[in-house]
Amino acid sequence: MTSTATPATAGTRPPAPDPAPAPPRRGGTSRLHRTEKRWALLFVAAPVLGYLLFILYPTLFALYASLTRWNGLGPMQFIGLDNYVALLGDERFRQTLFNTFFYMIGIPIGLAISLALAVMMNRKIFGRAAFRAIYYVPVISSIAAIAILWQWAYNGDFGLVNQFLGLFGIDGPNWLADPVWAKPAIIMMAVWKGLGYSMLLYLAAIQSVPRSLYEAAELDGAGGWQKFRSITLPMVQPVTFFLIVTQVIGGAMIFIEIQIMTPTGGPEYSTASVVYHIWLQAFRYQQMGYATAMSVVLGLLILVITLIQFRLNRRNAGFVVD
Amino acid sequence: MRKSRLIAGIATALVAASTLAACGSGGGSGTDDGTLTFMFRGGDDEKKAYQEAIDRFTEDTGVKVKMIVTSADQYAQKLQAAVAGNKVPDVFYIEQASLQSYVSSGVLMDITDQVAEQGVDLDNIWPYGVDSYRFDGTTQGTPGGKLYGLPKDIGPFAFGYNADLLEKAGVERPDPDEPLTWDEWLKICKKLTQDTDGDGETDQWGTGLNVQWNSQSFVWSNGGDWTNEDHTQVTVDTPEFAEAIQFIADLTEQGVTPNPEQAQTLDTYQRFMAGEIGFFPVGPWDMSVYNDLDFEYDLMPWPVGRTGEPATWVGSLGIGVSNTTDLPEDAVKLATYLSTDEAAQQTLVDANVQIPNRIDTAQEWAAEVEEDDSLKPRNRQEFLDIAEDYGREMPASFTYGAEWYDELWVGIQPVLDGKQKAADYLAEVQPRMQELLDQSNAQAEQAAAAGSAP
């Protein structure tokens, strides 16, 4: 056996045959690097594939379907922009669009209440943990169950809401059967359901405001309201922005509570949201192509509104949420 | 070690990908081992009855059947999803109103010849039921069309009353052959409307109607209708139509029916079962529940309007066969069995969820009450009279989609609340309904053209 024996059998490292320095390593060419790169690609592929399969493909498919006459069963028939033209003259679509945006009145109301609650919950009051839990319960409850409970609460005859109003001598309306009161009724329910979530985010934001800011303000003689207005409010602004953006998007897609509480779209279609209208067209009237066109329009509207919000936010506050 | 892990990873990815692909391309229907799939909807009573009927089918023919059951309100959506996913069940329920779109989309099989080969005497099945699933490419419900399904049942929507309540109020039982006029009926309703416990609030009413399901009888009996014969013109703006709707709306004002708040608290169906309401509609599917009530109920002809003839609707649900089934022969056999086999029908009739599909069996069923005093309802014959004499299909049963029809109900609340005259509302809604009906007819034509093209 000579020293040229293979290292595997010799068990000792042979001297390097070439005294010249090893060739310079370029990035990514080592075996380790290459293997890891492969692995990385595989991991990256999962979300990318998921995106292609579950987001991009359905989106493109929907764009095409919106240009067809299609009942959801048979072959599609290309009809160009006919669906979109029909949409312009669809009174019900306009009405449901109005209803949907009307529901968004609840967003600022809900934010104001949850900020107030968050400020209160931040103080050392008795049973603070219990209150936090109570306000958060609706958030984790099933929306279907909540909708049914509120449907009972809104019953014109024996519902909790009207019984409560009756204590003050107010004769409450028949909420869900009255074209004027049905929308406010749904807004109240939505605000109630959303409170806990907004409150929790606000609470976290308030607690992360540096104490020193308040101390400095106190030294300058600022009162409670001044501290709130000039420190707390601007410091939680990113959370406010985040909540508004997500709630507008969520609000534009409101459906389940509408369908359960007012299965026919409410008196004179007064509670029907856009998504409700889309659902009805797609699954009851078998106008899948037309319904898809409506959802494309809804998607574009949400996109535009969200872009405007980002623009306004940047200009007003200088906070950028990435 | 590292290499093998990489291979494992790739293998996993491949398996996942091929599974997805399999989901996408899994064409055809049913399973390969000769088992049929049957998709239907219904409550527990129906499920049990069908399980029994299907067990007997398997025993007789050796064909295994896998049942897929959904709740009533989810059925249409689930079936549509199954079709879109290329997993059409071999045999499934089909609604009258969706028949045309399922035919033109090529989902339903033309079973005219196969059913004839089974040796079934279709003349012994309610013609309304069979014709509902005939479609000649333009018109549905015509005797000459090809057969795309068989009736699962027909549902004559009868009128009924609480016999105990009438007796207590000193009112004679309505004659089963001589219908009451609207005025006579209203007078009795007023007599039945009472405050029985003397607390100053009405707690017993003459009736409690639902405009969406009960107005058909009043409109038709008064000589009105939703459309003309060939479903091209919406005719809801006629005086006869308006008078009928107004009559129903005025019942609330007359106080003979629970007001909207009271009806919301406990709907009139519940109130009838609680013995608070005198007159109420009865469908065959109600028998399983009504027969156990602690008062006696019976059937009567609907009160009559200007024409002097009673009228009402007959519902029906069909059983269709998939066009892509691997086992067409067995599938048709199952559909035929469920619809027409004597033993299978008996199971369903015994469960009190429907009247017999076979005319001779139905006649026997109606005559049984003569021999057995415990059978309910006494006037079973009324269901048969409706089926063969004065029943019709729902206005939107044979049109392509029901959007035009639903439009009528969307804004009708002010009329029922007495805030708007029926005639004014109907004049206002007619053009909108017409426009939707035109659209639906245009769609039917396009669908028919697209369906026959390839």
Side-chain angles (χ1 to χ4, degrees):
Chain A
M1 285 271 174
T2 64
S3 63
T4 52
T6 57
T9 49
T12 50
R13 203 167 244 280
D18 191 351
R25 280 185 175 173
R26 281 179 284 119
T29 50
S30 83
R31 235 181 81 189
L32 176 72
H33 219 108
R34 260 178 288 144
T35 333
E36 298 231 309
K37 200 164 157 192
R38 247 178 283 159
W39 271 103
L41 280 178
L42 207 65
F43 277 114
V44 170
V48 169
L49 265 178
Y51 175 80
L52 292 177
L53 210 62
F54 296 114
I55 311 270
L56 194 67
Y57 169 69
T59 309
L60 293 177
F61 181 82
L63 279 176
Y64 176 71
S66 74
L67 301 175
T68 66
R69 184 179 293 117
W70 183 41
N71 63 8
L73 302 167
M76 294 170 158
Q77 188 191 348
F78 188 81
I79 52 167
L81 292 173
D82 280 9
N83 283 331
Y84 292 93
V85 175
L87 232 164
L88 291 176
D90 186 345
E91 221 175 283
R92 290 257 183 272
F93 181 67
R94 248 176 289 155
Q95 192 187 353
T96 52
L97 213 53
F98 169 79
N99 290 346
T100 308
F101 285 108
F102 192 93
Y103 289 135
M104 291 183 188
I105 293 174
I107 296 174
I109 299 173
L111 290 186
I113 300 176
S114 35
L115 182 55
L117 281 174
V119 170
M120 279 191 264
M121 293 296 136
N122 194 32
R123 303 204 171 160
K124 291 194 175 61
I125 53 169
F126 178 73
R128 188 168 63 159
F131 277 117
R132 285 183 189 173
I134 287 171
Y135 282 112
Y136 203 69
V137 165
V139 181
I140 52 167
S141 306
S142 144
I143 178 70
I146 284 182
I148 290 172
L149 287 178
W150 274 88
Q151 197 180 16
W152 290 339
Y154 279 135
N155 185 296
D157 210 15
F158 72 107
L160 278 179
V161 176
N162 277 359
Q163 279 187 16
F164 177 73
L165 291 175
L167 293 180
F168 304 97
I170 302 170
D171 192 12
N174 189 356
W175 294 93
L176 294 173
D178 186 319
V180 178
W181 288 104
K183 271 194 285 282
I186 287 182
I187 290 177
M188 278 200 280
M189 188 213 80
V191 165
W192 174 83
K193 168 145 172 79
L195 276 187
Y197 178 69
S198 312
M199 186 193 77
L200 200 73
L201 290 189
Y202 271 135
L203 196 57
I206 289 173
Q207 284 174 346
S208 64
V209 177
R211 291 274 113 219
S212 56
L213 289 180
Y214 291 113
E215 281 159 14
E218 272 160 31
L219 286 179
D220 289 340
W225 172 248
Q226 273 176 312
K227 276 192 288 182
F228 174 76
R229 260 220 55 185
S230 310
I231 301 174
T232 313
L233 210 51
M235 290 304 281
V236 300
Q237 207 273 344
V239 171
T240 308
F241 175 68
F242 169 78
L243 285 172
I244 291 180
V245 170
T246 51
Q247 292 191 3
V248 166
I249 294 174
M253 296 190 286
I254 186 166
F255 170 67
I256 300 171
E257 42 271 69
I258 311 286
Q259 203 233 345
I260 292 177
M261 292 172 77
T262 55
T264 57
E268 294 160 54
Y269 227 48
S270 58
T271 60
S273 64
V274 176
V275 177
Y276 176 86
H277 192 56
I278 291 173
W279 170 78
L280 206 63
Q281 292 291 335
F283 290 105
R284 186 167 158 77
Y285 302 136
Q286 293 164 355
Q287 310 213 44
M288 196 62 86
Y290 183 54
T292 314
M294 284 196 271
S295 56
V296 169
V297 170
L298 178 66
L300 287 177
L301 274 176
I302 295 176
L303 179 71
V304 168
I305 292 171
T306 309
L307 286 178
I308 293 173
Q309 284 172 328
F310 271 92
R311 174 67 51 93
L312 285 178
N313 183 59
R314 201 163 296 167
R315 195 185 300 158
N316 289 351
F319 283 104
V320 179
V321 179
D322 293 318
Chain B
M1 177 67 192
R2 181 164 288 164
K3 198 163 220 168
S4 70
R5 224 194 295 161
L6 181 65
I7 288 168
I10 291 169
T12 316
L14 281 176
V15 168
S18 59
T19 315
L20 281 171
C23 288
S25 67
S29 53
T31 39
D32 300 329
D33 60 351
T35 303
L36 287 173
T37 49
F38 171 47
M39 182 160 156
F40 69 109
R41 67 184 197 202
D44 288 341
D45 289 349
E46 265 184 292
K47 208 163 119 188
K48 228 176 84 203
Y50 270 93
Q51 183 69 58
E52 268 175 54
I54 281 174
D55 285 350
R56 201 167 310 120
F57 174 78
T58 306
E59 225 168 83
D60 289 354
T61 60
V63 179
K64 275 185 251 156
V65 180
K66 190 179 142 215
M67 301 196 340
I68 308 168
V69 60
T70 81
S71 67
D73 50 345
Q74 283 189 340
Y75 182 76
Q77 219 165 313
K78 292 229 162 122
L79 180 61
Q80 206 169 344
V83 172
N86 237 340
K87 296 264 174 215
V88 191
D90 298 296
V91 181
F92 54 91
Y93 276 9
I94 180 81
E95 285 168 21
Q96 288 169 309
S98 2
L99 186 88
Q100 292 185 34
S101 52
Y102 276 80
V103 169
S104 52
S105 307
V107 178
L108 279 172
M109 188 161 94
D110 171 5
I111 55 173
T112 321
D113 298 337
Q114 283 100 322
V115 169
E117 280 165 27
Q118 303 274 324
V120 180
D121 177 15
L122 284 184
D123 291 339
N124 190 25
I125 310 296
W126 297 110
Y128 170 83
V130 179
D131 290 348
S132 284
Y133 307 99
R134 290 188 191 274
F135 181 48
D136 63 8
T138 49
T139 321
Q140 183 185 349
T142 49
K146 286 182 197 153
L147 197 61
Y148 288 97
L150 286 166
K152 166 240 164 199
D153 70 351
I154 62 166
F157 198 59
F159 205 45
Y161 58 91
N162 178 335
D164 294 6
L165 202 139
L166 261 64
E167 198 181 336
K168 232 183 283 164
V171 176
E172 243 180 87
R173 278 186 157 209
D175 191 308
D177 301 315
E178 208 43 58
L180 298 166
T181 66
W182 288 359
D183 287 338
E184 290 166 345
W185 177 68
L186 183 59
K187 226 173 270 167
I188 302 177
C189 283
K190 284 182 179 156
K191 211 164 165 186
L192 296 178
T193 305
Q194 290 171 9
D195 170 16
T196 53
D197 58 6
D199 67 350
E201 255 182 69
T202 309
D203 48 25
Q204 177 180 308
W205 294 267
T207 188
L209 300 182
N210 173 315
V211 70
Q212 201 166 339
W213 297 102
N214 309 149
S215 59
Q216 293 82 2
S217 162
F218 290 83
V219 168
W220 288 332
S221 177
N222 208 38
D225 203 348
W226 269 254
T227 62
N228 60 353
E229 193 99 349
D230 58 359
H231 306 300
T232 53
Q233 281 292 323
V234 175
T235 55
V236 299
D237 51 352
T238 58
E240 300 85 33
F241 199 106
E243 193 182 23
I245 299 290
Q246 193 65 57
F247 179 77
I248 294 175
D250 288 347
L251 291 175
T252 311
E253 207 172 308
Q254 310 255 17
V256 299
T257 167
N259 66 34
E261 278 89 13
Q262 288 161 336
Q264 192 188 25
T265 303
L266 193 60
D267 62 35
T268 51
Y269 171 65
Q270 299 286 345
R271 286 187 191 271
F272 175 71
M273 293 196 291
E276 298 176 6
I277 282 180
F279 296 97
F280 203 70
V282 182
W285 52 86
D286 288 321
M287 289 188 292
S288 67
V289 176
Y290 286 4
N291 284 359
D292 293 334
L293 294 176
D294 48 12
F295 60 82
E296 196 199 336
Y297 78 101
D298 207 355
L299 309 182
M300 61 185 272
W302 284 84
V304 294
R306 281 173 189 282
T307 62
E309 295 292 329
T312 188
W313 52 269
V314 185
S316 177
L317 201 55
I319 304 175
V321 173
S322 161
N323 211 2
T324 52
T325 176
D326 298 327
L327 309 157
E329 213 168 293
D330 290 339
V332 173
K333 217 183 275 176
L334 176 62
T336 321
Y337 182 84
L338 292 174
S339 176
T340 66
D341 184 82
E342 210 160 351
Q345 281 288 306
Q346 198 56 48
T347 313
L348 299 173
V349 171
D350 286 347
N352 279 317
V353 292
Q354 68 171 75
I355 69 165
N357 265 350
R358 299 163 66 100
I359 297 175
D360 54 0
T361 318
Q363 279 158 350
E364 280 164 35
W365 174 79
E368 271 171 27
V369 291
E370 308 289 341
E371 288 135 41
D372 187 343
D373 284 343
S374 67
L375 292 177
K376 291 190 235 180
R378 304 301 301 160
N379 185 16
R380 284 179 175 177
Q381 181 62 36
E382 199 65 42
F383 281 136
L384 273 56
D385 290 348
I386 296 173
E388 62 194 7
D389 181 22
Y390 67 90
R392 327 180 180 188
E393 76 274 4
M394 272 290 213
S397 293
F398 298 159
T399 56
Y400 195 88
E403 192 178 9
W404 68 272
Y405 174 73
D406 289 347
E407 179 69 26
L408 178 63
W409 312 121
V410 171
I412 204 158
Q413 196 58 41
V415 177
L416 303 178
D417 294 343
K419 292 178 192 147
Q420 193 180 12
K421 283 276 157 233
D424 296 342
Y425 172 67
L426 292 167
E428 196 181 289
V429 78
Q430 192 275 342
R432 294 207 297 272
M433 292 174 72
Q434 183 66 51
E435 194 184 326
L436 290 167
L437 180 65
D438 290 345
Q439 275 175 27
S440 124
N441 285 334
Q443 276 167 20
E445 268 169 43
Q446 282 148 359
S452 58

